[in-house]
Amino acid sequence: MRVDVISIFPEYFAPLEVSLIGKARERGILEVHLHQLRDWTHDVHRTVDDTPYGGGPGMVMKPGPWGEAVDGVLAADPASAPRVIVPTPSGTPFTQKLAMEYAAEPWLLFTPARYEGIDSRVMAEYGARLRVDEVSIGDYVLAGGEVAVLVMVEAIGRLLPGVLGNACSAVDDSFAPGSMENLLEGPVYTKPPEWRGHEVPEVLLSGHHGRIARWRRDEALRRTAKNRPELLTALDPARLDKHDRRLLEELGFPVSGENMAH
Ligand code: SAM
């Protein structure tokens, strides 16, 4: 996968040289190209922002440098086109599902902004000929989009084939489509079996795969009920067996759907 990022702080992306993502780059699974937005300015101050039309506080990023920068990136491969991801708190939520969708794309272009964001005409211009998604990583406001890009590239990058040591790790993750859709992963443990008087749940030492899978699912349901109860209302009734339904009822979330897993 090719990833391009245009930013006034390309140095913010040093963490992409480390750990899983760094290794994916070394192995050629992920190619990251960082671009300094100011390289597409033409004044001595390398200005990228101006006052907002309509008044109000803060500054808005000028369309000119963004347009030239995006054109410059597109020129790298005129035969193809990237999916453009514009981080903004007013975008659609970034989810595991979206991370999986992006992981299947060959080319992504991120446009992290600063100040009050990018002049909307930039999104209109490219939205007319490319897929442009305005995406939020959460209901809070960051000072700039660089951190949001780091979050998204890490979530997407670990899904690329060959990046995770064990491809199955992503299948059991919280939110993973399938049996974990709308569920949080339960607690995890490693050796030793007892630490400071805390014991690992006996079932995990039993070697009984069926009981372990059942325990993990129960814990996922319990944790979701405790930390993210709103997710339970989005569970697919067809994926819930009798045991799930009984537990959900005990937890105070009775299921009314007709279809049931066996
Ligand atoms: N005035 C904007 C608003 O209220 O929507 C906030 C602008 S914010 C200070 C500057 C930039 O940080 C945004 O344009 C975006 O690139 C990035 N940003 C801030 N919060 C974000 C979030 N939750 N998700 C994605 N990007 C975010």
Side-chain angles (χ1 to χ4, degrees), residues 87-90 112-118 135-138 140-145 148:
T88 164
S90 52
R114 287 267 148 180
Y115 317 109
E116 296 308 319
I118 305 172
V135 178
S136 165
I137 63 158
Y140 40 78
V141 178
L142 302 163

Side-chain angles (χ1 to χ4, degrees), residues 97-128:
K97 206 166 159 205
L98 202 48
M100 293 182 78
E101 195 180 314
Y102 289 154
E105 297 279 351
W107 188 6
L108 299 174
L109 165 58
F110 291 92
T111 62
R114 287 267 148 180
Y115 317 109
E116 296 308 319
I118 305 172
D119 185 309
S120 274
R121 291 170 293 181
V122 175
M123 280 65 87
E125 162 75 10
Y126 293 99

Side-chain angles (χ1 to χ4, degrees), residues 148-213:
V149 173
L150 287 172
V151 166
M152 290 190 266
V153 171
E154 185 155 317
I156 297 162
R158 72 188 281 284
L159 297 174
L160 298 176
V163 171
L164 286 182
N166 178 353
C168 291
S169 331
V171 175
D172 291 337
D173 278 340
S174 301
F175 313 111
S179 63
M180 287 301 285
E181 198 155 342
N182 293 306
L183 283 180
L184 308 179
E185 192 179 71
V188 293
Y189 302 89
T190 185
K191 295 167 194 77
E194 199 220 293
W195 177 76
R196 296 191 181 180
H198 302 273
E199 288 183 358
V200 170
E202 176 277 328
V203 61
L204 296 180
L205 310 176
S206 70
H208 190 298
H209 297 304
R211 281 181 56 211
I212 292 172

Side-chain angles (χ1 to χ4, degrees), residues 23 42 44 59 72 118 131 177 207 225 230 238-239:
K23 289 213 180 75
H42 303 286
V44 66
M59 301 292 271
I118 305 172
R131 288 193 74 179
E230 81 284 5
R239 288 193 179 277

